Amino acid sequence: MKFLLIFLVNFLFAETIDNLLKVIQTKTDLSEKTKLENSGISIIYTRSDLDRMQVNTLKDIFISTPFLDYRESSYGFPDLFTLGDNKAFISNVVRVFIDNQEIATGMYGSGLMMLGDIDLDYVDHIEVYFQNPTYEYTTEPTVVLVKLYTKTAQKDNGGKIKFSYNKYNSKSGSIYYANELLNGWNYFSYFSYNQNQRKTYTVDTTTVSRDHPTYQALASIYNDNNRFLIQAISQNRDSFLDTSIDLTPQKATVDSDFIHMGYDGNKNNFYLLLDFDHKLTKSYFIDDVIPKAEYNYLYPIDEQISTINANLYNAELKYKYITPKNTLITGIKYRYKVFSYDTLIRNDQNLPSTGNTNQIVSSIFLENQHSISSNSIFNLGIMKEKVRNNKSLQQDDIFNYRFSHTYTTQLYTFKTLLGHTEISIDPYLVNSKGFFIKDDKVKKTIENNFDQEIVYKKDTNKFRLLFNYTKVKNQLIPDFNDQYLLYNDPNSVEYRNAVFSWTKDYNEIDKLLLSIEYNYNNLYERNNEKYRFIIRNLNTINKYDIFNELITTKTNDDNKYYVLFNAGIKYHYSDDFVVSLKGENIFNDSYKQRYFRADPDTLQQTTPVYISPIDQNFILSIEYYF
């Protein structure tokens, strides 16, 4: 009852708020200028949303984003589509961009595994797009597109220092500074350190940890038509359950150093992008199992040491042609991934090279937005792609297409999307028969989707209805009777999702969100269902920003109701000094995810372990602007 009372009190006071400064900030929010209006179903988190929700990481928004859950792999990496087996990361169809440059790696693809749970204080606003949203930005097949937009000198001229301390004695600090240079050029720089200490768990008698101390730096120099971006991340991660067959590792660590450097610019409707990503990963794993002779003493894994070097080179050239009725954009893209296992020792055996040391992804696309009338827009896009792996049978030709129609009236918006997405595998799976996959090669995963969005908006009320139907062919799933090796599911998998939401704007800046969501799939030939209900309230009262969020989840996996309650208050002592307190998973009752395990002696499946990816936490922060 306490949290219901909090919502009620906030609601009653909300109508009396008149904070002109907040209104001006909302009206000039950069997200109003960057949203890709016709690029599929989208969720936008404005600067005001992020500030008052005290969003520190992508985790904080994924927990309530429609169609998604925040989930973590057995290594503790953010992995929205993990299947609960022993793979480090499989969410390669989630693409993360900073401004117009994708953050990616040469081995695992998506940058989500690095950016999903680290500080985002450099971000102005976030846009999330679903279901093959656009070919303009993405080089490789995409189901979820996440765009992070950095703060700018025009809006954030000057600097900020922030310090935080949480329940697990974890300290963090960040600083950024932005300023204008000469001749229309600007720069933004940012640095942070976070101890990222988290709750530990005990599996049988073994303590497992997801701590991941992280250093991060980012800088950009830009003007209206050009941007140079550099980002560096250094992380020492306790890799949680890692690849332990019974989820009881004795020691598990993954240390990584990452750097991204890129340039994007445009002139006379031509757009050029050049970027480079490098990642060095060192992992160390020790267990207490006895390897089997029938697996050449390579399984179960008792000890593994690896060093992976991976580089990614990316180049894009696009041209945009605009007429009164059409916006046509076409382009070519080339991505070269080169990688090597400098060290790979398993159970005291040096594993031979797979022979595959590079992957080339080349693509051409065409996308046109056609206006039938002022309130009716069609969008049609096609992309042809070749994926070539050296010294491998895995060679894929990809053909993707999408069609969308947006129709608006004074009160209604109707958006329909049809898409076809073919997905190849990332380099770490290529030539990995007996280690990650069952066969010499795997088939392309094929997704066909239909999405419908209906929005009714009148006065201060906005009602939104979302439908999604996706049919997946050749989805990769683990074989629970053979080392969790991945293979193509012989059965098609259906996903059905529906969301109904109501947003009440109390005034220009304060709002209440109510959302009901239903998700269904028949993965593993069983009916999997999930229900989710969300209440979120954002208010500003005088010098206080108040945030409440209640998320209830129920699945038929264990038929339990889980209650995730987050709340925060931010006090603006002055324009330059802010103190905030946030509680995450306050009732310590967040949804749990399943991790599969087996007996190391019999290799038979045993009872899975259920662990929540959301810790109970309380965070105290102070911010000083200068």
Side-chain angles (χ1 to χ4, degrees):
M1 293 299 294
K2 290 182 179 179
F3 57 83
L4 294 178
L5 180 60
I6 293 172
F7 281 119
L8 180 61
V9 171
N10 288 339
F11 184 89
L12 294 175
F13 274 94
E15 298 293 343
T16 67
I17 302 168
D18 185 17
N19 191 324
L20 180 60
L21 178 61
K22 291 287 185 181
V23 173
I24 293 174
Q25 290 176 344
T26 302
K27 291 288 189 182
T28 59
D29 199 297
L30 292 178
S31 62
E32 294 299 320
K33 303 174 184 179
T34 59
K35 181 181 177 183
L36 308 175
E37 287 289 348
N38 298 293
S39 293
I41 310 301
S42 62
I43 301 293
I44 311 300
Y45 296 90
T46 68
R47 176 70 170 272
S48 176
D49 294 337
L50 299 180
D51 283 349
R52 291 190 291 173
M53 290 171 63
Q54 299 185 43
V55 170
N56 297 310
T57 70
L58 283 173
K59 177 195 304 187
D60 298 337
I61 65 170
F62 283 147
I63 58 174
S64 59
T65 301
F67 306 157
L68 299 179
D69 268 333
Y70 177 76
R71 301 170 69 83
E72 294 179 338
S73 72
S74 64
Y75 285 66
F77 290 116
D79 192 4
L80 304 187
F81 301 130
T82 180
L83 298 174
D85 61 347
N86 61 354
K87 307 302 180 298
F89 183 79
I90 64 168
S91 299
N92 61 332
V93 292
V94 182
R95 302 291 172 178
V96 183
F97 283 69
I98 296 180
D99 296 317
N100 292 326
Q101 300 180 27
E102 183 182 358
I103 307 301
T105 71
M107 187 65 86
Y108 289 96
S110 170
L112 175 68
M113 69 185 303
M114 295 175 298
L115 299 183
D117 60 355
I118 63 175
D119 185 69
L120 293 179
D121 204 35
Y122 58 88
V123 172
D124 177 86
H125 66 281
I126 300 173
E127 301 170 359
V128 183
Y129 299 89
F130 303 96
Q131 298 300 340
N132 207 355
T134 177
Y135 304 129
E136 179 179 353
Y137 292 102
T138 58
T139 300
E140 299 185 71
T142 303
V143 174
V144 179
L145 171 64
V146 182
K147 296 207 72 179
L148 311 176
Y149 289 89
T150 56
K151 293 172 178 174
T152 65
Q154 293 89 334
K155 186 176 179 180
D156 290 278
N157 195 281
K160 186 184 86 169
I161 299 176
K162 179 180 179 180
F163 295 101
S164 300
Y165 183 79
N166 74 14
K167 171 184 175 181
Y168 302 101
N169 299 317
S170 182
K171 307 175 193 63
S172 66
S174 67
I175 182 172
Y176 71 72
Y177 190 77
N179 207 345
E180 298 179 3
L181 300 173
L182 298 175
N183 302 319
W185 286 87
N186 308 272
Y187 76 90
F188 175 82
S189 58
Y190 158 88
F191 176 80
S192 70
Y193 171 69
N194 196 322
Q195 290 181 325
N196 284 320
Q197 294 175 190
R198 299 185 56 183
K199 179 179 179 180
T200 58
Y201 286 87
T202 300
V203 180
D204 296 336
T205 60
T206 301
T207 300
V208 293
S209 167
R210 290 178 286 191
D211 293 352
H212 53 284
T214 304
Y215 290 92
Q216 184 183 189
L218 180 143
S220 65
I221 300 176
Y222 61 94
N223 62 16
D224 290 341
N225 299 313
N226 302 275
R227 180 179 296 271
F228 296 90
L229 175 69
I230 183 170
Q231 183 184 36
I233 301 170
S234 182
Q235 191 172 86
N236 303 106
R237 181 181 288 269
D238 291 339
S239 50
F240 197 33
L241 309 169
D242 207 290
T243 191
S244 175
I245 186 173
D246 59 354
L247 309 185
T248 60
Q250 302 304 295
K251 184 176 179 62
T253 62
V254 176
D255 300 334
S256 62
D257 294 307
F258 171 82
I259 188 168
H260 168 91
M261 296 184 291
Y263 163 80
D264 65 274
N266 66 86
K267 186 176 183 180
N268 298 327
N269 290 331
F270 283 95
Y271 296 79
L272 175 67
L273 183 145
L274 301 168
D275 62 29
F276 165 76
D277 296 90
H278 167 76
K279 188 176 184 183
L280 173 65
T281 306
K282 298 180 180 180
S283 63
Y284 185 51
F285 169 81
I286 296 180
D287 212 342
D288 57 351
V289 299
I290 300 175
K292 303 292 186 182
E294 57 265 37
Y295 292 99
N296 197 26
Y297 300 103
L298 292 174
Y299 187 79
I301 302 174
D302 186 56
E303 180 180 20
Q304 183 162 292
I305 303 170
S306 69
T307 302
I308 304 173
N309 249 306
N311 294 329
L312 183 150
Y313 304 85
N314 196 55
E316 300 179 7
L317 180 63
K318 299 176 288 191
Y319 178 72
K320 183 178 290 187
Y321 179 73
I322 301 175
T323 69
K325 291 284 188 179
N326 295 276
T327 299
L328 176 70
I329 184 166
T330 184
I332 55 174
K333 305 182 181 185
Y334 180 84
R335 175 166 287 182
Y336 178 64
K337 308 173 188 177
V338 57
F339 37 84
S340 64
Y341 283 95
D342 296 344
T343 305
L344 184 54
I345 302 173
R346 175 179 293 185
N347 296 349
D348 292 326
Q349 298 184 53
N350 284 290
L351 299 184
S353 170
T354 65
N356 183 50
T357 58
N358 66 70
Q359 181 183 83
I360 296 174
V361 181
S362 54
S363 59
I364 183 171
F365 79 96
L366 177 69
E367 195 164 342
N368 185 49
Q369 178 178 291
H370 176 68
S371 300
I372 297 177
S373 61
S374 60
N375 65 339
S376 181
I377 300 174
F378 283 95
N379 189 293
L380 177 65
I382 57 174
M383 174 179 274
K384 179 68 175 176
E385 185 173 283
K386 289 183 179 293
V387 182
R388 295 294 179 260
N389 300 284
N390 73 321
K391 298 182 181 180
S392 176
L393 296 175
Q394 190 75 46
Q395 313 293 339
D396 293 311
D397 293 316
I398 304 294
F399 181 65
N400 294 334
Y401 55 86
R402 64 183 301 275
F403 167 82
S404 67
H405 177 235
T406 302
Y407 179 78
T408 62
T409 67
Q410 187 174 359
L411 298 178
Y412 287 93
T413 298
F414 300 89
K415 185 178 291 185
T416 304
L417 174 65
L418 296 170
H420 174 86
T421 306
E422 300 178 0
I423 305 165
S424 186
I425 59 175
D426 281 311
Y428 84 99
L429 294 177
V430 176
N431 289 7
S432 66
K433 180 181 179 180
F435 293 95
F436 292 124
I437 61 177
K438 287 181 68 70
D439 302 305
D440 291 320
K441 62 174 294 186
V442 298
K443 298 177 182 178
K444 298 176 295 186
T445 298
I446 300 174
E447 296 190 7
N448 291 294
N449 66 281
F450 167 78
D451 294 86
Q452 180 69 57
E453 178 183 29
I454 304 172
V455 178
Y456 173 77
K457 187 174 184 180
K458 184 177 182 181
D459 299 327
T460 61
N461 296 286
K462 177 181 177 181
F463 299 92
R464 190 183 202 193
L465 190 60
L466 301 176
F467 293 103
N468 163 260
Y469 174 79
T470 301
K471 190 170 185 177
V472 183
K473 184 180 179 181
N474 301 331
Q475 178 164 340
L476 288 176
I477 60 173
D479 185 340
F480 296 107
N481 297 313
D482 188 5
Q483 308 175 66
Y484 301 106
L485 298 177
L486 297 175
Y487 69 102
N488 294 116
D489 192 338
N491 303 299
S492 294
V493 182
E494 294 185 356
Y495 294 84
R496 305 169 195 163
N497 305 287
V499 181
F500 173 76
S501 66
W502 169 50
T503 302
K504 169 68 175 179
D505 294 326
Y506 302 138
N507 49 50
E508 293 283 357
I509 59 173
D510 298 319
K511 56 188 175 182
L512 170 72
L513 169 71
L514 300 180
S515 176
I516 301 172
E517 181 173 354
Y518 171 75
N519 309 116
Y520 166 87
N521 69 70
N522 60 347
L523 190 64
Y524 303 133
E525 298 184 80
R526 56 165 291 181
N527 296 321
N528 305 292
E529 294 182 305
K530 186 188 76 175
Y531 301 86
R532 181 163 64 177
F533 176 65
I534 300 172
I535 306 177
R536 181 190 301 139
N537 203 47
L538 296 175
N539 288 129
T540 295
I541 304 176
N542 298 323
K543 293 186 175 183
Y544 294 91
D545 294 333
I546 301 171
F547 156 66
N548 300 277
E549 181 177 59
L550 176 71
I551 304 171
T552 64
T553 304
K554 179 181 182 293
T555 70
N556 64 349
D557 184 39
D558 56 10
N559 287 314
K560 292 182 180 179
Y561 280 97
Y562 294 100
V563 178
L564 171 58
F565 179 56
N566 304 314
I569 185 168
K570 180 177 284 190
Y571 174 57
H572 297 261
Y573 177 79
S574 67
D575 291 341
D576 301 327
F577 188 74
V578 180
V579 179
S580 57
L581 178 65
K582 181 183 182 184
E584 299 176 342
N585 190 16
I586 293 174
F587 300 151
N588 198 23
D589 191 34
S590 173
Y591 63 89
K592 296 177 174 60
Q593 65 178 89
R594 176 176 54 189
Y595 295 95
F596 295 103
R597 62 174 177 166
D599 186 290
D601 296 321
T602 66
L603 306 186
Q604 298 299 307
Q605 290 292 300
T606 59
T607 304
V609 170
Y610 290 83
I611 296 176
S612 174
I614 311 298
D615 299 334
Q616 183 189 60
N617 205 357
F618 298 93
I619 306 167
L620 176 66
S621 302
I622 59 172
E623 303 169 63
Y624 176 70
Y625 293 83
F626 59 92

